[in-house]
Amino acid sequence: MAEFPKARDFFESSRAAVGDHELRRKLENASARHLDHFAEVKAEFPAYDDERDAAHRIKTDAIAHLDELLIELTSKLEARGCKVFFAQDAADARDYIVELAKRRGAKTVVKGKSMTTEEIELNGALERAGIDAVETDLGEYIVQLRGERPSHIITPAIHLSKEDIGQLFTDKFGIEYTAEPEKLTAEARSRLRAIFLNADFGVTGVNFAIAETGTLVIVENEGNGRLSSTMPETFVAVMGIEKVIARLEDLSHFLEILARTATGQKLTTYTSFITGPRREGELDGPGEMHVVILDNGRSSMIADPVLREALNCIRCGACLNVCPIYRRIGGHAYRSVYPGPIGSIISPNLFGSAAGYLPFASTLCGACKDICPVKIDIPRILLHLRWKESTGEHPIRWPRAIERARRGARRFAKMARHPRTVRALGNFAAMVLKPFAHNGYLRRMPGPFGNWTKYRDFPRPRPHKRSAPAPERPPS
Ligand code: SF4
């Protein structure tokens, strides 16, 4: 598996992304569109907040009883002829799927949208084994054609305009240029249909796994998840351990909120319920079905009482749409398959301390917490991870300038414990800087403070005034 990029790489990629005005325009347009649709469907559904409460409660309960639920799910799936494989890490999951594909003589693997297979870098492993892996979700298909990774967990090609995609199709397929979404979609559809008809192996993710009934649920809009799971003779579903919920009746709460926050729809076009391979007498479905259940650092998140809440995530992507950082730098700058606020929490736990800088990529404004359909307190968890970093639990190699700034902040924190020193220094700064101020503000500051005034003015320090003695209390 590729090494996780360093903090310095993140600073470089985010600086480049902020300077890319075209990218920012696309991100702002797409995020605003998402949020408008969400506001509309939320307004016509008064029970939305009650459903959020229910979803939070159900997920928290499921994570607390994960071991029992996974045992129940496994026994139900096996009873219906599925093979269940528990993968400790990404390599385990990858090897299992690649070996299986080789044993079945697979030439082409069709993939439904799955962030978990992105996490384990399945496509690269299949390609190395000489097997074609074709993404069949339109957005994923587009980014795969460009040799990129998704830049959003719901809208993989959010960083591209329809003109970009038109040009891509002309370059790749030699067709006449068009930027009409209907024509572009029809082109992708006809190419993918042909691939589906010949594919011998299908892989998809899983949105929910119901322990009570042993049912896997896939929620999508294009029908490619359904085709990937039913047309090939061998089908593999890949899920993180946290996807399990206890009861079938729990599902309705998630279906009410997931589509609304993810895509601004009341319900997605396809909701597939998969209960095993084709049975005797049935015409459709795969002859063989495997379920790969992935841990890859999730158990260690459960062990941390603050962090475990992040496993409630249903990957709706809404926290990315409202995040002021994501909206300025986009998904690729994070260098993680999971970008945005929730990605900044889960990436260090899935990819190790190399990604430990990501919890610092947040203003802690709280917009993510407000929109999250399962009410995850994202800012609190980010602060918790920052605290863990400060205790030396996950040391990070910061770029030199950041390390200097952090040392300065630590010194300031020490000094701020002595009010007299702070007052004396404040008075001194007020006196020295007074001649340089215009209308009460400094336009340029010396040394490292210059980074502040590069972008905004700084209010002139005022001399400390002794506070007036507290007024005497009136007699009671
Ligand atoms: S943290 Fe919440 S808002 Fe963000 S992707 Fe997960 S469920 Fe959606």
Side-chain angles (χ1 to χ4, degrees), residues 235-308:
F235 166 54
V236 181
V238 186
M239 57 175 268
I241 53 173
E242 80 283 12
K243 293 290 169 77
V244 67
I245 54 174
R247 291 169 297 269
L248 183 59
E249 68 183 50
D250 295 339
L251 181 69
S252 65
H253 300 287
F254 294 103
L255 296 183
E256 291 285 18
I257 54 174
L258 177 56
R260 283 187 165 86
T261 42
T263 48
Q265 295 168 282
K266 290 178 191 162
L267 201 62
T268 47
T269 315
Y270 296 88
T271 304
S272 302
F273 293 75
I274 302 170
T275 47
R278 189 174 62 235
R279 281 163 228 155
E280 228 178 281
E282 288 181 344
L283 295 176
D284 299 317
E288 181 185 6
M289 177 172 159
H290 297 247
V291 182
V292 175
I293 302 179
L294 177 71
D295 186 324
N296 202 28
R298 288 163 174 82
S299 305
S300 60
M301 290 173 74
I302 295 173
D304 182 320
V306 178
L307 208 45
R308 63 160 53 185

Side-chain angles (χ1 to χ4, degrees), residues 153 261 312-320 342 368 371-376 378:
I153 57 182
T261 42
N312 289 0
C313 176
I314 54 172
R315 305 279 190 270
C316 75
C319 56
L320 281 63
I342 189 64
C368 47
I371 202 161
C372 177
V374 280
K375 294 192 145 181
I376 300 175
I378 295 173

Side-chain angles (χ1 to χ4, degrees), residues 320-371:
L320 281 63
N321 301 335
V322 292
C323 175
I325 304 295
Y326 179 88
R327 287 172 70 148
R328 275 158 191 79
I329 65 174
H332 288 153
Y334 285 82
R335 307 292 189 104
S336 167
V337 51
Y338 297 112
I342 189 64
S344 296
I345 291 172
I346 56 182
S347 300
N349 292 285
L350 302 188
F351 306 116
S353 57
Y357 57 86
L358 285 174
F360 293 82
S362 168
T363 62
L364 302 176
C365 69
C368 47
K369 176 185 170 187
D370 292 344
I371 202 161

Side-chain angles (χ1 to χ4, degrees), residues 58 80 123 159 194 200 209 238 263 290 295 403 414 417 476:
I58 292 165
R80 291 225 191 75
N123 286 6
H159 57 294
D200 29 28
V238 186
T263 48
H290 297 247
D295 186 324
E403 198 43 69
K414 257 191 204 158
R417 286 185 211 136
S476 51

Side-chain angles (χ1 to χ4, degrees), residues 25 35 97 116 126 235 237 240 250 252 261 284 305 317 324 353 370 375 379 381 396 403 408 410 416 431 451 474:
R25 188 187 61 77
L35 293 174
I97 300 168
T116 317
L126 287 167
F235 166 54
D250 295 339
S252 65
T261 42
D284 299 317
S353 57
D370 292 344
K375 294 192 145 181
I381 307 175
I396 300 169
E403 198 43 69
R410 275 197 290 270
M431 188 179 71
N451 280 335

